[in-house]
Structure formats: structure tokens, C-alpha cells
Amino acid sequence: MTQVNAKVTKLNRVERNAWTKQKIFEAATKVVGKHGYAEASVARITEQAGVAQGTFYNHFENRQELLDQLLPKIGLDMVEFIRARTGTADAARQEIARFSAFFDFIREVPEFLRILNEAEFFAPIGYQKHLDNIATAYVRILGRARLAGAIEDYSDEEFEAIVHMLMGSRGYLSRRYSYSDGGVTAVPDHVISAYRKLMTRGLFTASGDQDTP
């Protein structure tokens, strides 16, 4: 008996179920990342996970239920990953740290971009849930910065718009600078410095801040 199998046999039923479900999520991440949602069959996922197809249906009603849960699961993992690397610096530095940590995350989970980009069409429920999860957490972060006096003159509605801008920038920048045929690499320093300047200085001067075009 291998060490891993020995460890699993010591888990109680709830723990074993959680462990098995996590294995299925990890397998689905690999399969969707490699083959896309359309080719992510239950057979492929369970083979990757090393579990029987019957076991799969103990945790998910069908394939679509898993696919709809996949992106939100990875998204919450990403939030925890970024939070652990943010620190307690001032609000602007925390935002730059979050930006850098995102690119660290996709190096660990290179499948993320394909899973995200295809989800809108193949797992729309999961796609919307992911956006809601990330936006809600991000607006809350900006709200705390506003309370601390680090951000002024922004409403919650404006925060939500800004959050989607920031989320979109990560997707496009990762595609431009991180993803290549050779895998996922760190972004160049000038990407981080450009983001830092945008966050700390603002793109336009106050005199150019007008309500009309």
C-alpha cells in the first residue's frame, strides 16, 4: 500500500469524500486546460483523477454541474492565494502586490486562462458565479481602503466598474505577456511598473478630470 493510499484509508467518510472531490476538481482542471470544455468528458476526468465513473456521480449530478463549479472553485483558490501574498502595506502597495500575485498564481495553475475564457460559452452559470465572487471580494477590499482614507470620491457603483476594469486587464496582460507555446512565464518588470504608476499616479492629471468627453 502506498503512503498516499494509507493516508486516505485513515480519513473518515466526510474527509475522504472531500479528498475525492478535490481530486476530481484537480483532474478537471488538467483536462479542461488541455482539451477544452467540449472535450472534457467524464471518462477523461475520472481517468485523470484515478477514480471510477460511479464515484464521479456520487459528487456531481452530471458533467455540466462539475463544469459550472470548476471556475468558481479555481477563482476562490486564486483569491486565497493572492490574499496570502498581499501583506499589510498601504492600500496602493497591496493592490500592486495583488496584481503581481495574480501572475504568480497562473504560473502555478496555467490552465486558468483557457478555463476562464471558454467558461462564458460552455459553463455560463459558473462564469457568472466566478465574476460575482471576484467582484464582491474586490469591491469589499476597495471599500475598506476608502474607509481608511486611502481612496476618496468613489461610490460603490464606481468601485464595481473599476473592479471589472482591473479584472479585464489581468486577462489581457496575461495573454500578451505570460502565455506562450513554451508555457506560462513571469511578466516583464515593465508590466508591473506600468501598473504601479497607473495605480499610484493616475493616468490623467486632476485638471483633465472632466465629466464630459
Side-chain angles (χ1 to χ4, degrees), residues 67-122:
L67 297 182
D68 280 328
Q69 290 184 23
L70 181 60
L71 178 58
K73 169 70 167 61
I74 297 174
L76 292 177
D77 290 344
M78 179 180 69
V79 168
E80 289 303 315
F81 181 97
I82 292 173
R83 182 181 291 132
R85 287 158 177 76
T86 299
T88 56
D90 62 74
R93 286 181 177 155
Q94 285 187 32
E95 175 53 33
I96 296 159
R98 281 190 288 271
F99 183 73
S100 297
F102 167 80
F103 293 101
D104 292 336
F105 177 79
I106 63 174
R107 291 173 70 187
E108 293 203 7
V109 188
E111 302 87 359
F112 176 75
L113 189 61
R114 183 169 190 176
I115 291 171
L116 172 65
N117 287 342
E118 292 189 9
E120 185 175 4
F121 303 101
F122 291 99

